[in-house]
Amino acid sequence: MNRLLHALALTACLGALATPALSQQRAYAPENLRTLSQNDQVRVISLEYEEQSGGRRIPDDQLRFYLDQVNRSNWGFSQIKADIAQSLGGSPMPPQGGTVRCESVNNKAQTCRVPWSGPSRLVRKLSGAPCDEGRTWQSQRGQVYVGNGCRAEFGPAYDPGPTPLPTPLPGPVGGSVRCESVNNQAQICRVPWSGPSRLSRQLSGTACVEGRTWQSQRGQVYVGGGCRAEFVAASGNGGPGNGYSTTCSSNDNRRVTCPWPPSYGTPRLLEQLSRSPCIQGQTWGIQSATAIWVSQGCRGRFGN
């Protein structure tokens, strides 16, 4: 009998040694992952993600999040598998009152639709990068914006209903608001007007291009990618706004003067077209009521 038991045990050991690849291909693990070493926790979570994603590597911040949940919040393996499935399952519109996952992958900005009309709140942070409201995520009417690596789940801040306008900032509506992306970090600035905004004066060497490095939202302006500028209300400021524009180019870094029809009011930079910065007072300016100037390689589209 002892010889038989010994033979069976030896066969089992040899079988286990003969199939190491199988144990590496499937993320078999106990429900309580805290019984495993940290290296084994990393291995089974990584394998589970690879299996569900078709071979992709789990993002480092998502792996760190799962390890924290295992060792601090007692998540079981089944809960991790379900969460991985949700993270890989796309972003279908959830039922009213559910949650929406919105992720800034590789620090790229992302805007996600939500099914509620009011503001949103952060329900669960998934990233190692911080998710700070007003800095790396922002709630908007019907959507959530994330940036700088923030990955999180969001829910409605309160029962759905009409979204109130932002509280106006101090100062006249006809003034300007400076909004700056420092160290290429995204920034959202409130403005005292409820309508859209327009760029009044670029302050940065980095181009401020609407829809790319800045955009107007209801009661606020977003800047990113190093854009620093002053903004004013798109209507009610800066002339008749009849849509006239002209391009003025500094070729070979020379100072060039371009005509400007005085009947169209005060010109402003609509879009920087060159790699060289177009900064009012430094590389472009108003020569007179009938002309504008550019220099040092600035090439821009100017209008009112």
Side-chain angles (χ1 to χ4, degrees):
M1 180 63 69
N2 289 336
R3 290 182 180 179
L4 178 59
L5 292 175
H6 179 74
L8 290 174
L10 181 60
T11 301
C13 290
L14 291 174
L17 292 174
T19 57
L22 182 60
S23 64
Q24 294 297 319
Q25 293 173 357
R26 299 295 301 172
Y28 295 121
E31 177 63 15
N32 183 6
L33 294 181
R34 299 182 70 179
T35 61
L36 301 178
S37 67
Q38 185 171 16
N39 287 339
D40 283 339
Q41 291 175 7
V42 170
R43 179 180 61 81
V44 297
I45 294 173
S46 300
L47 286 174
E48 180 63 32
Y49 188 92
E50 289 177 9
E51 290 170 17
Q52 293 198 35
S53 65
R56 283 188 290 164
R57 179 179 178 273
I58 186 171
D60 290 340
D61 56 353
Q62 189 170 357
L63 176 59
R64 286 194 299 268
F65 169 76
Y66 289 145
L67 292 174
D68 284 342
Q69 297 306 311
V70 167
N71 295 292
R72 297 181 183 180
S73 303
N74 294 322
W75 272 30
F77 190 46
S78 59
Q79 193 168 359
I80 289 178
K81 290 194 291 185
D83 195 84
I84 290 174
Q86 183 180 357
S87 71
L88 297 172
S91 55
M93 187 64 74
Q96 187 75 39
T99 61
V100 168
R101 182 185 295 245
C102 198
E103 300 177 298
S104 167
V105 179
N106 296 327
N107 289 326
K108 294 182 180 179
Q110 178 70 27
T111 301
C112 304
R113 292 178 54 216
V114 297
W116 48 87
S117 59
S120 304
R121 64 180 176 87
L122 190 149
V123 174
R124 185 160 65 102
K125 185 168 81 76
L126 305 174
S127 59
C131 290
D132 298 328
E133 187 172 8
R135 291 184 55 222
T136 58
W137 79 272
Q138 180 71 28
S139 167
Q140 304 164 12
R141 186 182 183 95
Q143 57 189 21
V144 168
Y145 157 85
V146 294
N148 299 315
C150 170
R151 299 171 50 249
E153 292 179 352
F154 299 88
Y158 54 76
D159 290 337
T163 303
L165 292 176
T167 303
L169 293 175
V173 171
S176 64
V177 168
R178 178 182 296 222
C179 199
E180 300 177 298
S181 167
V182 179
N183 296 326
N184 289 327
Q185 298 293 307
Q187 180 67 31
I188 296 176
C189 304
R190 292 175 55 216
V191 297
W193 48 85
S194 60
S197 305
R198 66 174 175 85
L199 188 149
S200 172
R201 185 161 68 102
Q202 180 174 309
L203 305 173
S204 59
T206 303
C208 292
V209 181
E210 187 171 8
R212 289 177 52 201
T213 56
W214 79 271
Q215 68 180 28
S216 168
Q217 302 163 2
R218 184 173 185 173
Q220 56 192 16
V221 169
Y222 156 82
V223 294
C227 168
R228 298 169 48 249
E230 291 180 353
F231 299 89
V232 297
S235 58
N237 296 277
N242 49 27
Y244 174 81
S245 67
T246 185
T247 298
C248 194
S249 304
S250 167
N251 297 320
D252 299 324
N253 291 326
R254 292 178 299 172
R255 182 183 175 105
V256 175
T257 301
C258 300
W260 175 262
S263 60
Y264 290 128
T266 303
R268 63 185 178 89
L269 178 67
L270 298 179
E271 182 180 3
Q272 178 177 305
L273 304 174
S274 59
R275 292 186 176 180
S276 300
C278 293
I279 304 175
Q280 189 172 5
Q282 296 184 31
T283 58
W284 81 273
I286 301 173
Q287 180 80 20
S288 65
T290 60
I292 57 178
W293 61 268
V294 293
S295 66
Q296 300 178 40
C298 166
R299 183 167 70 92
R301 186 168 64 87
F302 300 87
N304 58 1

